[in-house]
């Protein structure tokens, strides 16, 4: 078992902006964490309302991924926040992605 603050998470996504019906693949790597406790992802919409909060298992190397799919019928426009936490992590790690009108997305 690790002491609080020894763990670290790298979090990224290949998409920084998507259209309202797009998906975002969040990829991460955790190190120095208890192996049988999953990473908790919290995805919040532009108003700050939580829309997803999955527990994500990581492999023996600390790698994990999660595909964020649109809320039905599609994502509202705006900036979304993905926050990753773990019991052994001192501070949560965040990334953001933008939902833009169709035709103005970036890879």
């Amino acid at each position: 078992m690790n002491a609080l603050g020894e763990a670290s998470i790298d979090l990224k996504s290949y998409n920084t902006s998507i259209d309202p019906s797009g998906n975002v693949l969040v990829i991460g790597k955790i190190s120095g964490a208890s192996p049988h406790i999953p990473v908790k992802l919290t995805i919040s919409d532009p108003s700050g309302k939580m829309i997803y909060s999955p527990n994500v298992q990581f492999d023996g190397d600390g790698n994990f991924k999660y595909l964020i799919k649109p809320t039905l019928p599609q994502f509202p426009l705006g900036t979304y926040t993905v926050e990753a936490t773990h019991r052994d992590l001192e501070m949560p790690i965040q990334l953001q992605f933008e939902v833009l009108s169709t035709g103005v997305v970036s890879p």
Side-chain angles (χ1 to χ4, degrees), residues 42-46 79-83 94-97:
T42 303
I43 297 95
S44 302
D45 71 9
T79 303
Y80 289 73
T81 301
V82 180
E83 182 175 275
Q94 293 184 346
L95 69 78
Q96 293 184 324
F97 65 93

Side-chain angles (χ1 to χ4, degrees), residues 18-24 43-46 51-52 67-80 82 97-101:
I18 60 170
D19 66 47
S21 61
N23 298 319
V24 175
I43 297 95
S44 302
D45 71 9
I51 56 172
Y52 296 112
L67 183 63
I68 302 170
K69 297 179 181 180
T71 52
L72 295 177
Q74 63 185 17
F75 283 122
L77 302 181
T79 303
Y80 289 73
V82 180
F97 65 93
E98 188 84 20
V99 176
L100 305 170
S101 297

Side-chain angles (χ1 to χ4, degrees), residues 9 11 26 39-44 52-54 56 64 68 80-86 89 91-97:
I9 295 179
L11 194 63
V26 174
V39 172
K40 177 76 161 184
L41 295 181
T42 303
I43 297 95
S44 302
Y52 296 112
S53 187
V56 181
F64 63 92
I68 302 170
Y80 289 73
T81 301
V82 180
E83 182 175 275
T85 59
H86 187 275
L89 190 66
M91 297 290 293
I93 304 300
Q94 293 184 346
L95 69 78
Q96 293 184 324
F97 65 93

Side-chain angles (χ1 to χ4, degrees), residues 1-2 6-7 11 23 25-26 28-30 34 36 41 48 53 60 65 77 82 84 89-90 101-102 104 106-107:
M1 192 146 42
N2 295 312
E6 292 181 6
L11 194 63
N23 298 319
L25 180 62
V26 174
K29 184 173 179 97
I30 187 166
S34 300
H36 301 292
L41 295 181
S53 187
K65 60 185 173 182
L77 302 181
V82 180
L89 190 66
E90 189 171 329
S101 297
T102 304
V104 289
S106 67

